[in-house]
């Protein structure tokens, strides 16, 4: 399983765009990159998943460079409710187990 | 989207007793489920992989006789913390993936978690 490295914490003001970068130097050819959000005392919630280039959904964008050794989660115009821990995971789907790194604690400031 | 439900959401038990936590996949069949433990201000730690109809696979350092896992049906996995002690107090979370084989990336769905407090 590819190891991931993220900043431990980030602060941002409301209304700003937040970019959280994850490093995964030993990502395998068949691995996908998935980001989850976790609020206190709740299970993680899926945000976005991608394999290469750019993926966008209604809540976030995911940028993946050609070498796939890193990825950036972009949250447009964050609000206080986006204060949470964000986890970057790398791996294949199906029955492969999902292991978590340290995550990034995002604090949105009014 | 797919839903995974845990029960109970929180439980308080006396030291030395056993506690069972249920994890259900509500709208899909999950041949494999995962159990995690999370201590305050820490990341999720994978405890074991629960396989329907067979023995669970435990991560290194997790006592299989203390954390009994049963995956008797395609929609239900249970985690029993036996002879619980205060150090077992934690947030337990289960997860399941859609049963798609092959090399297609699939998201994992997580339960809401169970807060266990052993007094």
């Amino acid at each position: 399983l590819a190891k991931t490295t993220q900043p431990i914490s980030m602060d941002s003001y409301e209304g700003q765009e937040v970019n959280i970068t994850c490093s995964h130097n030993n990502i395998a050819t068949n691995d996908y990159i998935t980001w989850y959000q976790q609020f206190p005392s709740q299970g993680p919630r899926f945000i976005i998943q991608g394999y290469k280039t750019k993926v966008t959904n209604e809540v976030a964008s995911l940028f993946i460079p050609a070498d796939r050794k890193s990825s950036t989660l972009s949250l447009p115009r964050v609000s206080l409710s986006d204060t949470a821990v964000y986890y970057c995971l790398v791996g294949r789907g199906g029955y492969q187990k999902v292991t978590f790194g340290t995550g990034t604690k995002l604090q949105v400031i009014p | 989207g797919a839903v995974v439900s845990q029960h109970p959401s929180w439980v308080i038990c006396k030291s030395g007793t056993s506690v069972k936590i249920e994890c259900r996949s509500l709208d899909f069949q999950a041949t494999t489920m995962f159990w995690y433990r999370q201590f305050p201000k820490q990341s999720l730690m994978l405890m074991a992989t629960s396989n329907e109809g067979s023995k669970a696979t435990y991560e290194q350092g997790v006592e299989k006789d203390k954390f009994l896992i049963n995956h008797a049906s395609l929609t239900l996995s249970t985690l029993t913390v036996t002879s619980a002690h205060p150090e077992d107090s934690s947030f337990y979370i289960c997860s399941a993936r859609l049963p798609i084989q092959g090399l297609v990336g699939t998201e994992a769905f997580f339960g809401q978690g169970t807060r266990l407090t052993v007094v």
Side-chain angles (χ1 to χ4, degrees), chain B residues 70-85:
Chain B
N70 183 278
H71 195 153
S73 78
L74 288 172
T75 59
L76 175 64
S77 175
T78 60
L79 169 68
T80 301
V81 182
T82 62
S83 186
H85 291 285

Side-chain angles (χ1 to χ4, degrees), chain B residues 29-114:
Chain B
Q29 294 182 331
T31 55
T32 302
M33 291 186 177
F34 307 95
W35 286 95
Y36 297 84
R37 179 168 54 180
Q38 186 175 35
F39 292 108
K41 299 188 185 304
Q42 294 187 23
S43 183
L44 286 77
M45 183 191 78
L46 180 65
M47 299 175 66
T49 301
S50 169
N51 302 297
E52 188 268 334
S54 64
K55 290 182 179 180
T57 304
Y58 290 82
E59 296 298 302
Q60 191 172 10
V62 177
E63 300 176 58
K64 60 181 180 182
D65 294 330
K66 181 169 185 60
F67 299 99
L68 300 179
I69 292 173
N70 183 278
H71 195 153
S73 78
L74 288 172
T75 59
L76 175 64
S77 175
T78 60
L79 169 68
T80 301
V81 182
T82 62
S83 186
H85 291 285
E87 57 265 31
D88 298 322
S89 298
S90 188
F91 191 55
Y92 292 86
I93 308 169
C94 70
S95 169
R97 274 181 149 145
L98 294 174
I100 300 174
Q101 292 186 326
L103 303 178
V104 177
T106 59
E107 62 189 271
F109 299 96
F110 291 84
Q112 69 270 40
T114 298

Side-chain angles (χ1 to χ4, degrees), chain A residues 13 28 40-41 101 104:
Chain A
Y13 288 103
S41 297
T104 298

